[in-house]
Amino acid sequence: MEALVVRKLGDPTTRDWESSPIVLSREEAIPAFESPTAVRVRVKATSLNYANYLQIQGKYQEKPPLPFIPGSDYSGVVDAVGPKVSQFKVGDPVCSFAGLGSYAQFIVTEESQLFRVPDGCDLVGAGALPVAFGTSHVALVHRAQLSSGQVLLVLGAAGGVGLAALQIGKVCGAIVIAVARGTEKVRFLKSLGVADHVVDLSSQNVTVTQSVKDFLKSRNLKGVDVLYDPVGGKLAKETMRLLNWGAHILVIGFASGEVPVIPANLALVKNWTVHGLYWGSYKIHRPLVLEDSVRELLSWMARGLITIHISHTYNLSEANLAFSAIKDRKVVGKVMLVLDDKSNVRSKL
């Protein structure tokens, strides 16, 4: 089968295939069944997450031994089932997530780890749902317990987890404020009609805090109840000034490259709750929470309550371009690797 294989650590955005850490292999063995309840999936689409980009560089907290096939959330069609599989049959549309291995034509997993994609749902979109929407759902619903009427402030709102957080916040009935950088991203966020207020970081006319304060004042609101932060850095520190007494801070990631310092004295005085959210570890420590989360998200997707916005799609041979879109911050929503049944794909790595 075809698969992207990491032979060495490095930047996957390089266009020189000889120096690239990732190689498009056409001779990888199709993964074998390891139990009678295993299911083999022909991958249709698999998501690029910032964590995948970091992992290929050796900068992520989980460092698998070389060589490895990267990849996490994916969707596809059941290709074969073990003799004791009872919940799925060949041809069923499914999605799931894995620690590694989805950047390939086939992946094998246990039937208990698979989720059936509801009829009428876009299969490519379903491949982007588990990690980005799962992260935001667990953070907002399970950890912060966001409720109707509360004020949610989302940093990095045009990214995959940010867009997910905006939509989940609206489903929960929250008043949603989105922060993003650049005219194009701000225009897109406004066109979604999900955010109650959108702040452009590139604006020279007003600061983020002043823009949010003006909006809150117009609604007779005191402050922010939940801060969703996948960015970190100075922006996180600045927006903490907007938090209410008893607010929740959700630490999702550090896309800025800078880990913010959360002042413990303010957390004490203002009774803040700080939640670190490493979504992947739930698979080990709280797997039922993850399963319930993905099932609820799929039901919301089927009912049209959430929409997965695909910003860019590439094939396996264009993985360097896909990672470049993430690195260069060109993405609004999700970047996907979409696979087809053609065996002769010209490598562009």
Side-chain angles (χ1 to χ4, degrees):
M1 69 172 183
E2 288 189 346
L4 287 176
V5 182
V6 178
R7 303 291 188 191
K8 60 182 179 181
L9 300 178
D11 188 347
T13 65
T14 178
R15 299 189 178 215
D16 180 8
W17 68 268
E18 292 184 352
S19 62
S20 176
I22 51 177
V23 176
L24 178 60
S25 170
R26 295 190 175 90
E27 299 178 352
E28 290 301 301
I30 294 176
F33 282 29
E34 297 183 355
S35 80
T37 53
V39 177
R40 185 170 69 219
V41 177
R42 176 181 284 275
V43 177
K44 171 64 178 177
T46 179
S47 173
L48 269 73
N49 299 293
Y50 194 68
N52 305 125
Y53 174 60
L54 293 176
Q55 190 174 56
I56 293 171
Q57 298 178 81
K59 297 179 179 180
Y60 195 58
Q61 51 258 41
E62 294 181 358
K63 297 176 172 61
L66 296 170
F68 65 89
I69 298 173
S72 45
D73 44 351
Y74 62 92
S75 60
V77 175
V78 173
D79 180 73
V81 298
K84 292 189 177 180
V85 171
S86 60
Q87 301 176 39
F88 299 96
K89 64 181 185 302
V90 173
D92 282 347
V94 294
C95 69
S96 189
F97 50 90
L100 294 169
S102 70
Y103 293 175
Q105 286 183 308
F106 295 97
I107 190 169
V108 170
T109 187
E110 284 294 306
E111 69 170 333
S112 61
Q113 301 296 311
L114 278 179
F115 303 89
R116 196 184 192 288
V117 177
D119 294 340
C121 290
D122 176 56
L123 193 56
V124 173
L129 181 138
V131 173
F133 277 79
T135 295
S136 297
H137 185 271
V138 170
L140 294 171
V141 177
H142 177 68
R143 298 294 291 276
Q145 298 183 3
L146 182 67
S147 60
S148 179
Q150 287 191 311
V151 178
L152 167 65
L153 177 61
V154 179
L155 308 184
V161 293
L163 277 178
L166 294 179
Q167 295 183 64
I168 292 168
K170 188 54 64 175
V171 173
C172 292
I175 298 164
V176 180
I177 302 171
V179 178
R181 183 182 298 278
T183 303
E184 181 182 349
K185 292 180 179 180
V186 168
R187 185 184 300 117
F188 172 76
L189 291 174
K190 289 181 178 179
S191 72
L192 284 180
V194 175
D196 297 281
H197 182 61
V198 181
V199 183
D200 185 355
L201 281 172
S202 64
S203 173
Q204 302 296 318
N205 299 323
V206 64
T207 64
V208 174
T209 51
Q210 190 59 53
S211 178
V212 174
K213 284 180 179 179
D214 290 345
F215 168 75
L216 294 172
K217 184 178 180 181
S218 72
R219 293 287 190 93
N220 293 317
L221 297 166
K222 292 182 178 180
V224 171
D225 299 299
V226 178
L227 172 62
Y228 184 95
D229 178 23
V231 178
K234 295 180 180 178
L235 181 59
K237 183 178 180 180
E238 182 180 351
T239 51
M240 286 179 197
R241 301 171 185 171
L242 300 165
L243 298 183
N244 275 332
W245 184 96
H248 294 262
I249 300 172
L250 293 164
V251 182
I252 307 298
F254 315 108
S256 67
E258 181 182 342
V259 178
V261 175
I262 300 174
N265 59 324
L266 290 181
L268 184 152
V269 173
K270 294 194 173 184
N271 280 266
W272 291 343
T273 302
V274 181
H275 305 270
L277 197 286
Y278 174 29
W279 182 83
S281 64
Y282 269 77
K283 191 172 183 179
I284 300 171
H285 301 287
R286 295 289 189 277
L288 294 180
V289 171
L290 279 195
E291 293 169 18
D292 290 345
S293 173
V294 174
R295 288 193 182 95
E296 182 164 51
L297 287 167
L298 285 169
S299 73
W300 288 357
M301 185 181 180
R303 293 159 55 195
L305 297 177
I306 57 174
T307 302
I308 290 83
H309 180 73
I310 308 298
S311 179
H312 298 69
T313 60
Y314 300 91
N315 58 42
L316 286 179
S317 66
E318 299 171 315
N320 64 318
L321 302 178
F323 281 111
S324 292
I326 292 179
K327 179 182 180 180
D328 298 339
R329 302 185 185 277
K330 296 178 179 178
V331 178
V332 180
K334 292 294 297 179
V335 179
M336 302 296 291
L337 295 176
V338 179
L339 289 72
D340 55 31
D341 295 332
K342 297 178 182 179
S343 58
N344 295 320
V345 179
R346 183 174 64 86
S347 176
K348 297 180 182 178
L349 294 180

